[in-house]
Amino acid sequence: DAGVIQSPRHEVTEMGQEVTLRCKPISGHDYLFWYRQTMMRGLELLIYFNNNVPIDDSGMPEDRFSAKMPNASFSTLKIQPSEPRDSAVYFCASSLASGGRETQYFGPGTRLLVL
Amino acid sequence: GNSVTQMEGPVTLSEEAFLTINCTYTATGYPSLFWYVQYPGEGLQLLLKATKADDKGSNKGFEATYRKETTSFHLEKGSVQVSDSAVYFCALNPQAGTALIFGKGTTLSVSS
């Protein structure tokens, strides 16, 4: 299996621009997670989906952030408009439900820099 | 609530030294516990896990035992290598169908 695929790997943009991050989970996995990693706050959950349905979006910072999962093999995280404080590494992870023992498999991350 | 506390880093060791990274947790119920490792510029990889009390997870010479009485899941390795230099994250899964809760990570630097 190719693992979790994220694109782009690096993104540099200017404040105010729209940014779209993409994720392809491992085939057959029914959970998909978006995390953000910063030096100050560590790893934070932004949102997660089960069978394409958003379950918990309480970690989404504000209305500028939105996430969709139109089908089982694709998800997007959009920031509009972007701000310098959004600079971080964004990880996508997927897992297959197994009663709480499931392992989450992480993608390589998207390194976002907002100037 | 649920939380994970890891020892602060960085941890600096010489090759072949013994490693311990402490991790304690707070959780309701019976969580699963994990150690993930992040090498520079990469995503997180599962290192080992334990799903019930007294289970020992092990991989690549690393071990951790799920201690319910002390709510701990300390990571150990008997002889570290330079290639073990990375950031290590302790995490818990409080219940089925929920996201992982991570500690802040501990940076390990091993010199030859």
Side-chain angles (χ1 to χ4, degrees), chain A residues 79-109:
Chain A
I79 308 172
Q80 167 63 20
S82 58
E83 296 182 3
R85 61 191 167 122
D86 302 330
S87 298
V89 182
Y90 291 81
F91 289 105
C92 177
S94 70
S95 68
L96 179 64
S98 60
R101 298 180 296 279
E102 53 267 19
T103 296
Q104 289 187 20
Y105 295 87
F106 282 74

Short mmCIF file of all heavy atoms in Angstrom, two decimals, chain A residues 79-109:
data_model
loop_
_atom_site.label_atom_id
_atom_site.label_comp_id
_atom_site.label_asym_id
_atom_site.label_seq_id
_atom_site.Cartn_x
_atom_site.Cartn_y
_atom_site.Cartn_z
N ILE A 79 -7.99 26.76 3.86
CA ILE A 79 -7.83 27.95 4.70
C ILE A 79 -8.07 29.16 3.80
O ILE A 79 -7.38 29.35 2.80
CB ILE A 79 -6.43 28.03 5.32
CG1 ILE A 79 -6.07 26.73 6.04
CG2 ILE A 79 -6.38 29.21 6.32
CD1 ILE A 79 -4.62 26.68 6.51
N GLN A 80 -9.06 29.96 4.16
CA GLN A 80 -9.39 31.13 3.37
C GLN A 80 -10.01 32.22 4.23
O GLN A 80 -11.09 31.98 4.79
CB GLN A 80 -10.37 30.73 2.24
CG GLN A 80 -11.05 31.88 1.52
CD GLN A 80 -10.08 32.79 0.78
OE1 GLN A 80 -8.96 32.41 0.50
NE2 GLN A 80 -10.54 33.99 0.47
N PRO A 81 -9.37 33.35 4.38
CA PRO A 81 -8.04 33.70 3.90
C PRO A 81 -6.95 33.21 4.86
O PRO A 81 -7.19 33.11 6.06
CB PRO A 81 -8.09 35.23 3.89
CG PRO A 81 -9.00 35.56 5.03
CD PRO A 81 -10.04 34.46 5.07
N SER A 82 -5.79 32.95 4.33
CA SER A 82 -4.69 32.49 5.18
C SER A 82 -4.04 33.65 5.92
O SER A 82 -4.07 34.80 5.45
CB SER A 82 -3.65 31.74 4.35
OG SER A 82 -3.15 32.58 3.32
N GLU A 83 -3.46 33.34 7.09
CA GLU A 83 -2.77 34.33 7.91
C GLU A 83 -1.42 33.75 8.33
O GLU A 83 -1.27 32.52 8.39
CB GLU A 83 -3.60 34.67 9.14
CG GLU A 83 -4.92 35.33 8.82
CD GLU A 83 -5.72 35.71 10.06
OE1 GLU A 83 -5.21 35.50 11.19
OE2 GLU A 83 -6.85 36.24 9.90
N PRO A 84 -0.46 34.60 8.65
CA PRO A 84 0.87 34.09 9.06
C PRO A 84 0.80 33.09 10.22
O PRO A 84 1.60 32.15 10.27
CB PRO A 84 1.61 35.37 9.44
CG PRO A 84 1.02 36.42 8.57
CD PRO A 84 -0.45 36.07 8.48
N ARG A 85 -0.13 33.28 11.13
CA ARG A 85 -0.22 32.36 12.27
C ARG A 85 -0.71 30.96 11.89
O ARG A 85 -0.71 30.06 12.72
CB ARG A 85 -1.14 32.94 13.34
CG ARG A 85 -2.57 33.18 12.91
CD ARG A 85 -3.31 34.00 13.96
NE ARG A 85 -4.57 34.51 13.48
CZ ARG A 85 -5.74 34.24 14.06
NH1 ARG A 85 -5.80 33.48 15.11
NH2 ARG A 85 -6.86 34.76 13.56
N ASP A 86 -1.11 30.78 10.64
CA ASP A 86 -1.50 29.45 10.15
C ASP A 86 -0.28 28.64 9.73
O ASP A 86 -0.42 27.45 9.40
CB ASP A 86 -2.45 29.58 8.96
CG ASP A 86 -3.71 30.36 9.31
OD1 ASP A 86 -4.13 30.31 10.49
OD2 ASP A 86 -4.25 31.02 8.41
N SER A 87 0.88 29.25 9.71
CA SER A 87 2.10 28.54 9.33
C SER A 87 2.34 27.38 10.29
O SER A 87 2.39 27.57 11.52
CB SER A 87 3.30 29.50 9.35
OG SER A 87 3.12 30.55 8.41
N ALA A 88 2.46 26.19 9.74
CA ALA A 88 2.56 24.97 10.55
C ALA A 88 2.77 23.80 9.60
O ALA A 88 2.79 23.95 8.39
CB ALA A 88 1.28 24.76 11.37
N VAL A 89 2.92 22.62 10.20
CA VAL A 89 2.89 21.39 9.42
C VAL A 89 1.52 20.75 9.64
O VAL A 89 1.10 20.56 10.79
CB VAL A 89 4.00 20.42 9.82
CG1 VAL A 89 3.95 19.17 8.94
CG2 VAL A 89 5.37 21.08 9.72
N TYR A 90 0.85 20.43 8.56
CA TYR A 90 -0.48 19.84 8.63
C TYR A 90 -0.37 18.37 8.24
O TYR A 90 0.11 18.04 7.16
CB TYR A 90 -1.44 20.59 7.71
CG TYR A 90 -1.74 21.99 8.21
CD1 TYR A 90 -0.85 23.03 7.96
CD2 TYR A 90 -2.88 22.25 8.95
CE1 TYR A 90 -1.10 24.31 8.44
CE2 TYR A 90 -3.14 23.53 9.43
CZ TYR A 90 -2.24 24.55 9.17
OH TYR A 90 -2.50 25.81 9.65
N PHE A 91 -0.83 17.52 9.14
CA PHE A 91 -0.78 16.09 8.90
C PHE A 91 -2.18 15.53 8.70
O PHE A 91 -3.13 15.92 9.37
CB PHE A 91 -0.14 15.35 10.08
CG PHE A 91 1.33 15.57 10.22
CD1 PHE A 91 1.83 16.40 11.22
CD2 PHE A 91 2.23 14.93 9.39
CE1 PHE A 91 3.19 16.60 11.35
CE2 PHE A 91 3.60 15.12 9.53
CZ PHE A 91 4.07 15.96 10.51
N CYS A 92 -2.25 14.58 7.80
CA CYS A 92 -3.45 13.78 7.61
C CYS A 92 -3.11 12.37 8.10
O CYS A 92 -1.97 11.89 7.91
CB CYS A 92 -3.83 13.77 6.14
SG CYS A 92 -5.23 12.75 5.73
N ALA A 93 -4.07 11.72 8.73
CA ALA A 93 -3.87 10.35 9.19
C ALA A 93 -5.14 9.56 8.94
O ALA A 93 -6.24 10.13 8.90
CB ALA A 93 -3.52 10.32 10.68
N SER A 94 -4.99 8.26 8.76
CA SER A 94 -6.18 7.42 8.60
C SER A 94 -6.05 6.16 9.43
O SER A 94 -4.94 5.77 9.82
CB SER A 94 -6.42 7.08 7.13
OG SER A 94 -5.45 6.18 6.62
N SER A 95 -7.19 5.56 9.73
CA SER A 95 -7.18 4.32 10.51
C SER A 95 -8.40 3.49 10.17
O SER A 95 -9.38 3.97 9.59
CB SER A 95 -7.15 4.62 12.01
OG SER A 95 -8.35 5.22 12.44
N LEU A 96 -8.31 2.22 10.57
CA LEU A 96 -9.41 1.29 10.40
C LEU A 96 -9.93 0.94 11.78
O LEU A 96 -9.16 0.52 12.64
CB LEU A 96 -8.93 0.04 9.68
CG LEU A 96 -9.96 -1.06 9.43
CD1 LEU A 96 -11.05 -0.57 8.49
CD2 LEU A 96 -9.27 -2.30 8.85
N ALA A 97 -11.21 1.14 11.99
CA ALA A 97 -11.79 0.93 13.32
C ALA A 97 -11.55 -0.49 13.80
O ALA A 97 -11.75 -1.45 13.07
CB ALA A 97 -13.29 1.22 13.28
N SER A 98 -11.09 -0.60 15.06
CA SER A 98 -10.91 -1.91 15.67
C SER A 98 -11.08 -1.80 17.17
O SER A 98 -10.24 -2.25 17.94
CB SER A 98 -9.54 -2.51 15.31
OG SER A 98 -8.49 -1.68 15.77
N GLY A 99 -12.15 -1.16 17.58
CA GLY A 99 -12.53 -1.13 18.98
C GLY A 99 -11.59 -0.36 19.88
O GLY A 99 -11.44 -0.69 21.05
N GLY A 100 -10.96 0.69 19.34
CA GLY A 100 -10.09 1.51 20.17
C GLY A 100 -8.64 1.10 20.11
O GLY A 100 -7.78 1.77 20.66
N ARG A 101 -8.36 -0.03 19.45
CA ARG A 101 -6.96 -0.47 19.36
C ARG A 101 -6.31 -0.05 18.05
O ARG A 101 -5.18 -0.42 17.78
CB ARG A 101 -6.92 -1.99 19.48
CG ARG A 101 -7.45 -2.51 20.82
CD ARG A 101 -7.39 -4.03 20.88
NE ARG A 101 -8.25 -4.64 19.90
CZ ARG A 101 -9.57 -4.81 20.05
NH1 ARG A 101 -10.16 -4.39 21.15
NH2 ARG A 101 -10.28 -5.39 19.12
N GLU A 102 -7.06 0.72 17.27
CA GLU A 102 -6.58 1.04 15.93
C GLU A 102 -5.34 1.90 15.94
O GLU A 102 -5.18 2.78 16.79
CB GLU A 102 -7.68 1.75 15.12
CG GLU A 102 -8.28 2.95 15.78
CD GLU A 102 -9.53 2.62 16.59
OE1 GLU A 102 -9.74 1.44 16.93
OE2 GLU A 102 -10.29 3.54 16.89
N THR A 103 -4.50 1.67 14.97
CA THR A 103 -3.31 2.47 14.75
C THR A 103 -3.63 3.53 13.72
O THR A 103 -4.24 3.23 12.70
CB THR A 103 -2.17 1.58 14.23
OG1 THR A 103 -1.83 0.63 15.24
CG2 THR A 103 -0.95 2.43 13.87
N GLN A 104 -3.24 4.75 13.99
CA GLN A 104 -3.38 5.81 13.00
C GLN A 104 -2.11 5.87 12.17
O GLN A 104 -1.00 5.89 12.72
CB GLN A 104 -3.65 7.15 13.67
CG GLN A 104 -5.03 7.23 14.29
CD GLN A 104 -5.37 8.59 14.82
OE1 GLN A 104 -4.77 9.60 14.44
NE2 GLN A 104 -6.35 8.64 15.71
N TYR A 105 -2.28 5.92 10.86
CA TYR A 105 -1.15 6.00 9.94
C TYR A 105 -1.10 7.42 9.39
O TYR A 105 -2.09 7.92 8.85
CB TYR A 105 -1.32 4.99 8.80
CG TYR A 105 -1.26 3.57 9.29
CD1 TYR A 105 -2.40 2.92 9.75
CD2 TYR A 105 -0.05 2.87 9.31
CE1 TYR A 105 -2.34 1.61 10.22
CE2 TYR A 105 0.02 1.57 9.77
CZ TYR A 105 -1.13 0.95 10.23
OH TYR A 105 -1.06 -0.33 10.70
N PHE A 106 0.05 8.02 9.53
CA PHE A 106 0.22 9.43 9.18
C PHE A 106 0.83 9.60 7.80
O PHE A 106 1.70 8.81 7.38
CB PHE A 106 1.12 10.14 10.19
CG PHE A 106 0.41 10.48 11.48
CD1 PHE A 106 0.10 9.49 12.40
CD2 PHE A 106 0.06 11.79 11.75
CE1 PHE A 106 -0.55 9.80 13.58
CE2 PHE A 106 -0.59 12.11 12.93
CZ PHE A 106 -0.90 11.12 13.84
N GLY A 107 0.39 10.64 7.12
CA GLY A 107 1.06 11.07 5.90
C GLY A 107 2.32 11.86 6.23
O GLY A 107 2.60 12.13 7.40
N PRO A 108 3.07 12.25 5.20
CA PRO A 108 4.33 12.96 5.42
C PRO A 108 4.15 14.42 5.83
O PRO A 108 5.12 15.06 6.24
CB PRO A 108 5.01 12.88 4.05
CG PRO A 108 3.88 12.78 3.09
CD PRO A 108 2.82 11.99 3.79
N GLY A 109 2.94 14.93 5.70
CA GLY A 109 2.67 16.30 6.13
C GLY A 109 2.82 17.32 4.99
O GLY A 109 3.51 17.07 4.00
#
